[in-house]
Amino acid sequence: MKFPSPIWMHVKSFLILILLSVVCGQDRKITSKLNPGCNTCSAETTLVYVRCDGSADSIHQIWDFTRHLPTVIFTIASLNSTLNVTWDGKTPKSFALSEKPHYSFATAIDKLYEYNDLDDNGFIVPKYPQHEYSLSKVIWHLNESRFADKEVMVYLNGFIDDERIRGIINIKLDLIPFKDYATDLPHLIHTANSTLFDISLTNLTTRSHYNASRFALHLLMISTDHVTDTMHFTMRKSLDDEHTPGVFEIIEIKTPSLYSTGEGGYLQFRPVGYTQPERGVASSTVAHVSDFNRTTLPYRSTLRLFYGGSDIADLLVQDMFVSFGENGDGFYKQHNYTAWSFTIGYGTPPVEKFSLFVIMIISIGLGVPLALALSGIVYVVLRRYRQRSITRFTNED
Amino acid sequence: MDNPESSSSTRLNQDPPTSWCHPAHRVHRFLALILMCFLCFGSYFCYDTPGALADNFKGDSHLNTSQFALLYSIYSWPNVILCFIGGYLIDRYFGVRLGTIIYMTIVFIGAVVFAFGVYINQFWLMILGRFIFGIGGESLQVAVNNYVVLWFNGKELNMVFGLQLSFSRFGSTVNFWVMEPIYKWVATYYSGYEKLGVTLFIASLTCLGSLICGLILGWMDHRAEKMLNRQEAQAKDEPFRLIDIFNFKPVYWLVCVICVAYYLAIFPFIALGKMFFERKFDFMPQDANTVNSMVYLLSAALSPFFGILIDKTGRNVTWVILSIVTTIGSHFLLAFTFINPYVGVMSLGISYSLLASGLWPLIAMIVPENQLGTAYGISQAVQNMGLATVLILAGIIVDKYGYLMLEMFFLGCLFISLIAGVVIYIVDSANNGILNLSPSVREAYLNKSANRAEETANLLDHVDSSDQEEVDSRLTNQQSSQLSNQNAGIESSGDFPRDPAQAHSDRIRSRYISQLLPSTIPDRS
């Protein structure tokens, strides 16, 4: 049977469209392992390997705390690819991917900054007195974990016990193989292609001579793009604050590859942090993002181990600060708590849609009065018409 | 209270006053008018202080939106009942002078307790303060209406009512303008929740000012009573009879639905608006307050003109439906676009004033005159009840589901009132469109019916019995003139009927005048 060509063209493009939407909205099959290949590892060693198989490619994720800096690495390769980790005692020695990856990007938090916010606005600027604490001495303890088909999750407590600072840093990493909103505020969108990173700074001691202490996170962003290129910061506004009440902005940091071709890595988050463990509108505060600077991979880090072999001209490394607070909030010591979430993912960042409820209200709300008005008009017109004809007949009599 | 017009005619019979100190002198009465304008200024000003400092309540007192909305909700609770008896207490027990001072004192105490609650950061004390404030707030308006009736008459009366209400509403507007600068100034001396408390103490001074005005006016009124031999008789009959509600027609209840559902999309929006403008549209706090104040400002400015417009064109139901539709449009703009919110809010303000001018006179056309007091009382009570409950709900919605959902909720309320409006239109059209006549037709209609006068009932009564083309009407001459009086707004005629029914109606008029007059806007209740 042969279709007339124009119709066949339409059908074909329609089928492709369906196929594409299936591919884009795809779920992935996830397999995960804690400390793969390590025989001597204990609860103090945490390296999670997650493999997410889609229909066309695999995402290999590494969540690493073994060298103290919390690190998430995404590597995209073909479905046949495998990643092997070799160990040297309780630290990984090498990562071997069976083939050259299509793309790779990563993020890590390498330092914590304490600064004296003299202007009381939450931003961190060089003129303020400040002190950096490397996270390389944090002892990470795996508190909770889940390695299932439907969810991979780890929750770690990091104990920081320096001579100048003490306290706990909690980090939760969470991956689900389908699209959904995170259970906790700010309810960021999870997809099969992205991992939720949630961090909280609990009971950190502040320096005695800073009376306006706040903490800022120092984030590294690495991608296999050209070294002279740059990450792109975009802030868009959504009409919908249903999932993050009162916050309309969405910030996305896109790798150059994503920015130019539509495929690449991203960080996505709302500019909101929380100053109490009970997250809500009353405990929300503003998260500020600084400009990006070029930097290098930290020494003796898993990042250096992973990307060390690659061509330096094809590795973009940038950093940024994320700081928290707003004018008059009493600084960090007011609640001794700051929490923040972002997602790191591959592909195009997900966009939130109006929920069914919103669409229903609009359609019912507009539909019912309209239907009522129409039927009313018909009724009145009919009635008038009938009355008039009755009167006419009476007159004719 | 005596029939006010007859007392004023006594006043007119006096020798023409020579000194401005004489109570009947134009200047003297003008002075009284200024004092009357300031009587409600304080309570209107303080009603919206939380709204004007919404982000500071979050930042300094760490209230979430649900707790914040409760500050507004609690104001409405006492008024579910007090809108019935506040005026009655004045007529029966306090008298207008004492009543005004009592209510004003309650308002002032409420404002101070609220400020103190914020100052020591005790939420229950804030709530208590707002509750006390609510007890005085609505009843005060009734007391002031009584004053106006005592001091002015005829053509002046409606104008003075309009002026007084517009000025009170202006109090809310000024509040939105000045609270942010005051807060900033206080912040240089205090910090944390103390600065918010001190700011509110300063705001409560407006209530003290109003109280002083009340005292001066009380003294002036006392003097006038002696010099003019004016007598205040006590009201004998009850201001409302609950039994009446069984006689109300379905159309009245439909109007009540609009009274509740429509206003739910206005007052809670203003109460919670500041943060919405700050967060969605990135407005600075002061700018957010300025946008928010637009609804009040426009309604204060436009209501007299819309009163005249509806007066000239009639067709109240059509105007009501039109204004509901434009309100829906405004909320759509605010919810689903990033267009400058001034556009949405200003069209909201315009629609709101138009609706108020069209809606409240409808009740006077539907309900027989001797039941008007009950009818207005009930519509106010259900409105307060709606506000009291929904404000709590609105706060929870913002906390849990955000501002888009809040807007969806407002739109839902507006859709309900639109449905009610459309149903009123259909029911009315099926009955020959009595409620939606143009003034000339209505006039002719009323004259025609008046000629066949018989005592009882109102327009719709004969509508109900009007299956035949020719309707037999039972409107009395006097009732029809009363009706046109009510609709005539600021141009009301100055004749003084003297029969008891008229006296009763005047009393109701003074109690619910803010609703009866198209030239003025209804209270925030």
Side-chain angles (χ1 to χ4, degrees):
Chain A
M1 198 173 90
K2 210 176 169 203
F3 284 106
S5 64
I7 295 178
W8 177 233
M9 284 280 286
H10 283 298
V11 172
K12 221 161 69 175
S13 49
F14 182 67
L15 283 177
I16 289 171
L17 209 71
I18 288 180
L19 204 71
L20 261 178
S21 60
V22 169
V23 170
C24 290
Q26 71 182 345
D27 296 348
R28 285 178 185 262
K29 185 177 163 295
I30 55 175
T31 42
S32 56
K33 197 148 198 289
L34 177 66
N35 303 325
C38 180
N39 302 320
T40 53
C41 291
S42 64
E44 311 308 316
T45 313
T46 307
L47 186 149
V48 178
Y49 168 65
V50 191
R51 183 193 171 106
C52 312
D53 291 329
S55 56
D57 55 15
S58 292
I59 299 177
H60 303 272
Q61 291 193 29
I62 294 165
W63 306 346
D64 179 63
F65 295 85
T66 54
R67 287 170 196 261
H68 305 289
L69 308 185
T71 307
V72 177
I73 302 171
F74 271 54
T75 302
I76 292 85
S78 77
L79 272 169
N80 303 325
S81 58
T82 54
L83 181 79
N84 275 315
V85 188
T86 57
W87 294 78
D88 179 12
K90 290 181 178 181
T91 45
K93 196 165 75 182
S94 72
F95 298 92
L97 193 67
S98 62
E99 61 179 61
K100 194 176 180 318
H102 302 165
Y103 193 70
S104 179
F105 65 97
T107 191
I109 298 175
D110 66 333
K111 287 170 197 157
L112 192 65
Y113 275 71
E114 181 179 358
Y115 62 104
N116 201 16
D117 187 1
L118 299 173
D119 296 335
D120 190 11
N121 56 16
F123 288 95
I124 177 167
V125 284
K127 69 172 182 181
Y128 297 150
Q130 50 193 275
H131 192 268
E132 61 169 72
Y133 303 102
S134 170
L135 296 191
S136 58
K137 286 182 189 156
V138 177
I139 313 295
W140 294 101
H141 177 79
L142 184 60
N143 186 316
E144 217 184 311
S145 61
R146 202 168 303 142
F147 298 96
D149 297 343
K150 291 290 165 208
E151 187 181 16
V152 181
M153 189 278 288
V154 288
Y155 177 66
L156 293 102
N157 309 127
F159 298 92
I160 182 165
D161 194 0
D162 199 87
E163 56 202 41
R164 290 216 177 87
I165 187 170
R166 275 195 314 282
I168 300 174
I169 301 171
N170 299 310
I171 289 180
K172 183 180 147 183
L173 287 162
D174 197 0
L175 171 74
I176 48 174
F178 47 87
K179 187 174 172 176
D180 199 2
Y181 289 90
T183 44
D184 292 325
L185 276 171
H187 301 301
L188 298 175
I189 306 177
H190 275 277
T191 67
N193 294 343
S194 65
T195 294
L196 178 78
F197 192 115
D198 191 281
I199 179 167
S200 61
L201 310 173
T202 312
N203 294 327
L204 296 180
T205 53
T206 54
R207 292 166 86 86
S208 54
H209 59 285
Y210 286 4
N211 47 16
S213 261
R214 294 186 194 277
F215 288 96
L217 301 172
H218 185 252
L219 248 80
L220 296 172
M221 296 168 292
I222 298 100
S223 77
T224 51
D225 288 288
H226 197 264
V227 67
T228 55
D229 222 327
T230 182
M231 302 281 174
H232 294 268
F233 173 94
T234 54
M235 169 139 85
R236 58 187 174 81
K237 282 214 143 193
S238 152
L239 292 169
D240 192 355
D241 69 332
E242 183 181 349
H243 299 282
T244 316
V247 184
F248 293 88
E249 295 90 356
I250 294 153
I251 292 175
E252 279 155 8
I253 295 169
K254 298 176 179 173
T255 62
S257 159
L258 172 61
Y259 191 74
S260 53
T261 66
E263 282 281 288
Y266 63 84
L267 302 185
Q268 189 183 50
F269 53 93
R270 302 257 187 179
V272 61
Y274 297 91
T275 56
Q276 287 165 50
E278 300 78 32
R279 298 181 182 188
V281 172
S283 62
S284 66
T285 188
V286 184
H288 309 275
V289 181
S290 72
D291 293 336
F292 308 143
N293 286 307
R294 287 174 200 285
T295 182
T296 52
L297 296 171
Y299 289 104
R300 274 186 265 162
S301 65
T302 308
L303 286 172
R304 192 166 275 267
L305 193 68
F306 192 90
Y307 291 109
S310 44
D311 188 356
I312 220 145
D314 278 329
L315 197 67
L316 173 65
V317 186
Q318 287 185 296
D319 67 4
M320 66 165 183
F321 289 104
V322 181
S323 56
F324 307 93
E326 51 196 327
N327 183 275
D329 63 358
F331 311 105
Y332 177 79
K333 62 171 183 276
Q334 180 77 29
H335 296 284
N336 282 321
Y337 184 89
T338 300
W340 178 61
S341 296
F342 65 91
T343 60
I344 169 171
Y346 176 75
T348 37
V351 181
E352 53 293 313
K353 294 190 182 106
F354 286 132
S355 64
L356 192 66
F357 182 74
V358 175
I359 296 164
M360 239 166 59
I361 290 217
I362 302 279
S363 36
I364 293 176
L366 286 180
V368 171
L370 210 69
L372 212 64
L374 281 178
S375 53
I377 289 167
V378 170
Y379 170 75
V380 170
V381 167
L382 277 180
R383 201 184 136 104
R384 290 262 163 92
Y385 178 76
R386 208 176 300 158
Q387 266 184 0
R388 211 163 287 165
S389 50
I390 289 169
T391 329
R392 203 177 57 227
F393 288 137
T394 332
N395 290 344
E396 277 168 7
D397 283 347
Chain B
M1 192 182 83
D2 196 1
N3 178 3
E5 268 84 1
S6 57
S7 68
S8 45
S9 38
T10 345
R11 187 193 305 154
L12 294 175
N13 292 340
Q14 305 265 324
D15 293 330
T18 47
S19 154
W20 71 269
C21 293
H22 193 277
H25 193 273
R26 198 176 276 269
V27 176
H28 192 89
R29 290 198 297 145
F30 182 71
L31 209 64
L33 170 63
I34 293 175
L35 290 174
M36 284 172 205
C37 284
F38 275 102
L39 267 183
C40 281
F41 188 89
S43 82
Y44 273 77
F45 187 95
C46 286
Y47 174 75
D48 272 314
T49 44
L53 296 167
D55 44 352
N56 311 108
F57 271 91
K58 180 198 165 273
D60 297 343
S61 306
H62 299 287
L63 298 190
N64 59 30
T65 321
S66 321
Q67 290 168 318
F68 177 78
L70 199 59
L71 296 177
Y72 273 94
S73 163
I74 202 75
Y75 175 94
S76 292
W77 283 111
N79 291 305
V80 175
I81 298 174
L82 278 175
C83 61
F84 285 116
I85 58 170
Y88 176 66
L89 287 176
I90 289 186
D91 287 357
R92 195 69 188 264
Y93 300 107
F94 300 153
V96 63
R97 287 191 294 271
L98 187 62
T100 307
I101 291 165
I102 288 175
Y103 292 142
M104 198 60 246
T105 311
I106 293 174
V107 166
F108 177 57
I109 291 173
V112 170
V113 170
F114 175 57
F116 187 67
V118 175
Y119 186 74
I120 60 169
N121 203 24
Q122 290 298 319
F123 185 62
W124 67 269
L125 200 59
M126 301 181 206
I127 290 294
L128 180 70
R130 289 291 286 186
F131 183 81
I132 299 172
F133 185 74
I135 293 175
E138 295 300 281
S139 313
L140 180 70
Q141 181 65 55
V142 180
V144 175
N145 287 344
N146 282 6
Y147 258 131
V148 173
V149 172
L150 272 177
W151 280 74
F152 299 92
N153 62 63
K155 281 195 172 161
E156 290 170 340
L157 191 64
N158 284 333
M159 197 194 68
V160 170
F161 271 125
L163 201 65
Q164 191 269 327
L165 252 160
S166 283
F167 196 81
S168 306
R169 186 45 48 89
F170 191 63
S172 293
T173 316
V174 172
N175 164 66
F176 278 111
W177 291 345
V178 303
M179 285 320 282
E180 193 66 35
I182 292 178
Y183 177 83
K184 283 210 178 109
W185 176 72
V186 172
T188 55
Y189 301 99
Y190 294 87
S191 65
Y193 46 76
E194 286 181 0
K195 71 181 161 200
L196 190 58
V198 172
T199 310
L200 290 170
F201 275 125
I202 294 174
S204 69
L205 288 181
T206 55
C207 288
L208 185 65
S210 291
L211 179 60
I212 293 169
C213 288
L215 288 169
I216 299 173
L217 193 63
W219 172 75
M220 280 170 71
D221 190 65
H222 179 68
R223 185 167 164 267
E225 191 179 270
K226 277 201 296 199
M227 288 178 73
L228 300 172
N229 294 323
R230 206 178 66 198
Q231 282 188 346
E232 266 194 79
Q234 285 196 329
K236 295 289 181 295
D237 42 354
E238 301 290 317
F240 65 96
R241 293 189 308 274
L242 269 181
I243 195 89
D244 284 347
I245 62 171
F246 297 109
N247 301 323
F248 291 152
K249 291 178 198 60
V251 178
Y252 166 77
W253 296 112
L254 285 171
V255 172
C256 276
V257 169
I258 300 182
C259 288
V260 178
Y262 182 86
Y263 283 83
L264 291 183
I266 304 291
F267 294 124
F269 176 74
I270 295 171
L272 303 173
K274 189 187 184 188
M275 298 276 271
F276 176 66
F277 298 124
E278 281 181 31
R279 291 180 165 217
K280 180 166 177 182
F281 299 99
D282 295 328
F283 271 46
M284 296 305 288
Q286 181 60 58
D287 299 333
N289 271 344
T290 313
V291 187
N292 217 3
S293 71
M294 278 297 149
V295 178
Y296 288 146
L297 187 67
L298 281 172
S299 72
L302 291 178
S303 293
F305 299 102
F306 283 139
I308 296 170
L309 174 75
I310 293 207
D311 225 33
K312 299 281 180 218
T313 58
R315 306 193 183 282
N316 293 42
V317 183
T318 312
W319 284 116
V320 165
I321 292 176
L322 183 74
S323 42
I324 296 174
V325 170
T326 50
T327 311
I328 290 175
S330 317
H331 271 297
F332 251 100
L333 280 183
L334 291 166
F336 295 109
T337 68
F338 285 109
I339 295 174
N340 194 324
Y342 272 100
V343 180
V345 170
M346 288 177 80
S347 70
L348 190 73
I350 294 168
S351 325
Y352 160 64
S353 323
L354 183 60
L355 178 118
S357 309
L359 181 71
W360 295 99
L362 267 184
I363 295 184
M365 293 186 220
I366 297 166
V367 177
E369 202 182 328
N370 59 352
Q371 295 169 358
L372 261 187
T374 319
Y376 276 112
I378 285 183
S379 53
Q380 261 192 322
V382 288
Q383 197 181 55
N384 271 309
M385 205 134 65
L387 278 177
T389 46
V390 158
L391 268 162
I392 298 176
L393 191 65
I396 295 172
I397 291 176
V398 171
D399 274 345
K400 290 236 170 12
Y401 306 104
Y403 287 97
L404 181 75
M405 278 299 146
L406 183 69
E407 281 293 331
M408 297 311 300
F409 177 74
F410 290 153
L411 282 170
C413 290
L414 288 171
F415 287 137
I416 291 172
S417 53
L418 181 60
I419 292 171
V422 171
V423 172
I424 291 176
Y425 188 90
I426 293 171
V427 170
D428 183 52
S429 298
N431 292 319
N432 294 337
I434 298 300
L435 299 179
N436 213 19
L437 295 176
S438 67
S440 52
V441 181
R442 185 181 292 156
E443 198 81 350
Y445 194 77
L446 287 169
N447 286 338
K448 192 162 130 199
S449 13
N451 289 339
R452 328 162 128 244
E454 269 204 25
E455 293 283 331
T456 61
N458 68 326
L459 283 170
L460 274 196
D461 246 1
H462 72 245
V463 168
D464 283 344
S465 57
S466 68
D467 271 13
Q468 65 272 42
E469 263 252 277
E470 287 260 290
V471 277
D472 64 321
S473 163
R474 293 163 233 152
L475 264 185
T476 63
N477 228 332
Q478 177 227 321
Q479 276 166 332
S480 60
S481 80
Q482 170 69 21
L483 188 62
S484 50
N485 238 347
Q486 280 155 3
N487 293 322
I490 54 172
E491 294 174 325
S492 103
S493 61
D495 59 333
F496 309 120
R498 286 193 168 51
D499 57 295
Q502 186 60 44
H504 179 70
S505 116
D506 281 334
R507 202 155 40 241
I508 293 164
R509 220 160 97 86
S510 75
R511 188 161 306 133
Y512 299 104
I513 196 77
S514 51
Q515 281 83 357
L516 282 168
L517 280 173
S519 61
T520 58
I521 39 160
D523 219 342
R524 61 196 168 228
S525 58

